[in-house]
Amino acid sequence: MVIENKPVGGNNFVLILKPVEKLPLMLPGQFCEVKVNKVPEVYLRRPFSIHNVDYDANTLSLLIKAVGKGTTTLSGLSEGEIVNIVYPLGNGFSLTKEPNVLLVGGGCGVAPLLFLAHTFKKMGIKPVVLVGGKTAEDVPQLEAYKAVAETHVATEDGSLGEKGLVTQHQIFKTRLSEFKRIYTCGPEGMMKAVAKAAEAIEIPCEVSLENTMACGIGACLCCVTETTEGHKCVCTDGPVFDSRDLNGWNIDKASECSQPYLKSE
Ligand SMILES: Cc1cc2nc3c(=O)[nH]c(=O)nc-3n(C[C@H](O)[C@H](O)[C@H](O)COP(=O)(O)OP(=O)(O)OC[C@H]3O[C@@H](n4cnc5c(N)ncnc54)[C@H](O)[C@@H]3O)c2cc1C
Ligand code: FES
């Protein structure tokens, strides 16, 4: 049932849902598939990351950007409406006990990183979060991140935080080597650039892919991605992968993602 549907800037909104049953244990990085009611042409469920979980209140939240018919319909849900969701799906991020972790999100791709940041906080680790967007409107839920993490922002037009891409932020220029692990979710070009920078100094980097999905349970094969071990389903083998396991993502091949900080002097 919808407990709250809250606009959070741009075309983004946060849906807080309360299931009838007790929430299952979920891992940050896992996702759910939501049925869009009332719009027959949107017959496939839509996948969304688990944005946050409150086991005490028995609620989970989704951060969604309205981009098409399905998400725009969901943006109109009212309190008390029933939503049919399948969850939790896929594999989450691997958690490390090492204290220095960097979480890099782009736009709405930041969604799973709040649950991840909360999980690290519970483990006694204060993560560093870096969020990027084209403009300030593309950086939703900033206060929620600030509550649990050292949070930084980069926007391409400079309307919030440092001007430029996340990979041009001071964190990448001066502090990258202090991190033991990097987690990223957002546009593929951004994730490739983050992974390339991480691999250049041998920091493990986990990326959460958002391939188009239909079934979400490994049956239709429409979400496959190429890995060093052959084709894998993003829905069941991912959506989180080690960047080094993805073909075309490793440092020798990701040439289209060249970033100023990596150019030879
Ligand atoms: C594992 C996973 C987790 C996701 N988590 C989130 C999340 O937390 N929040 C969120 O807002 N979105 C998330 N997405 C993307 C979301 O599923 C799509 O935006 C949504 O399915 C679009 O549905 P629609 O009917 O509104 O748009 P459609 O009418 O189907 O498409 C409208 C536009 O959106 C584009 N689009 C469709 N699917 C995707 C996609 N998977 N990724 C990027 N662009 C897409 C289409 O190319 C088209 O341009 C996730 C996707 C995956 C696979
Ligand atoms: S979405 Fe059907 S196999 Fe992954």
Side-chain angles (χ1 to χ4, degrees):
M1 185 171 76
V2 177
I3 296 295
E4 195 178 351
N5 183 355
K6 193 170 53 168
V8 291
N11 289 332
N12 302 294
F13 57 100
V14 172
L15 263 189
I16 303 179
L17 303 170
K18 191 177 181 86
V20 179
E21 72 282 6
K22 197 165 172 267
L23 282 174
L25 195 62
M26 285 175 270
L27 294 170
Q30 288 188 299
F31 68 100
C32 62
E33 286 256 298
V34 179
K35 189 169 179 347
V36 181
N37 295 326
K38 300 179 204 159
V39 191
E41 62 269 33
V42 185
Y43 54 89
L44 293 173
R45 289 171 180 270
R46 297 300 195 246
F48 302 103
S49 306
I50 308 292
H51 180 46
N52 208 4
V53 178
D54 184 337
Y55 289 108
D56 294 332
N58 204 44
T59 58
L60 80 155
S61 60
L62 310 178
L63 169 62
I64 301 178
K65 180 170 183 151
V67 293
K69 223 167 201 161
T71 45
T72 303
T73 305
L74 295 175
S75 73
L77 282 170
S78 309
E79 200 185 309
E81 280 194 75
I82 302 296
V83 183
N84 182 317
I85 79 169
V86 179
Y87 72 109
L89 298 169
N91 295 306
F93 294 105
S94 60
L95 301 171
T96 173
K97 287 186 178 150
E98 307 230 43
N100 299 327
V101 291
L102 175 64
L103 284 49
V104 186
C108 201
V110 77
L113 303 184
L114 185 63
F115 185 17
L116 183 61
H118 272 281
T119 305
F120 276 128
K121 194 182 171 213
K122 280 186 196 145
M123 292 166 65
I125 294 169
K126 187 170 184 185
V128 175
V129 171
L130 173 59
V131 194
K134 285 194 189 320
T135 72
E137 279 202 334
D138 297 322
V139 185
Q141 287 287 76
L142 200 51
E143 293 310 314
Y145 286 90
K146 283 183 180 167
V148 280
E150 177 193 323
T151 305
H152 302 265
V153 180
T155 50
E156 286 176 41
D157 68 351
S159 52
L160 195 66
E162 282 187 26
K163 185 171 180 178
L165 303 170
V166 281
T167 43
Q168 293 165 332
H169 191 277
Q170 284 304 317
I171 298 254
F172 271 77
K173 284 183 181 156
T174 62
R175 288 178 57 187
L176 205 57
S177 58
E178 59 182 76
F179 299 104
K180 299 287 182 242
R181 195 174 287 251
I182 298 178
Y183 303 86
T184 184
C185 186
E188 193 170 302
M190 182 208 82
M191 291 198 289
K192 280 184 172 171
V194 170
K196 184 175 176 179
E199 286 174 32
I201 53 173
E202 294 180 357
I203 303 172
C205 177
E206 293 192 358
V207 306
S208 182
L209 300 186
E210 289 197 359
N211 289 20
T212 302
M213 290 184 183
C215 71
I217 52 167
C220 70
L221 303 184
C222 80
C223 65
V224 289
T225 194
E226 258 190 71
T227 74
T228 51
E229 293 175 355
H231 286 115
K232 292 211 168 172
C233 283
V234 172
C235 64
T236 46
D237 298 309
V240 177
F241 292 90
D242 186 311
S243 64
R244 293 164 298 190
D245 295 339
L246 293 170
N247 274 358
W249 283 61
N250 67 48
I251 190 161
D252 299 327
K253 294 181 188 163
S255 55
E256 74 271 29
C257 297
S258 61
Q259 294 292 315
Y261 59 89
L262 278 176
K263 281 187 184 148
S264 49
E265 302 297 333

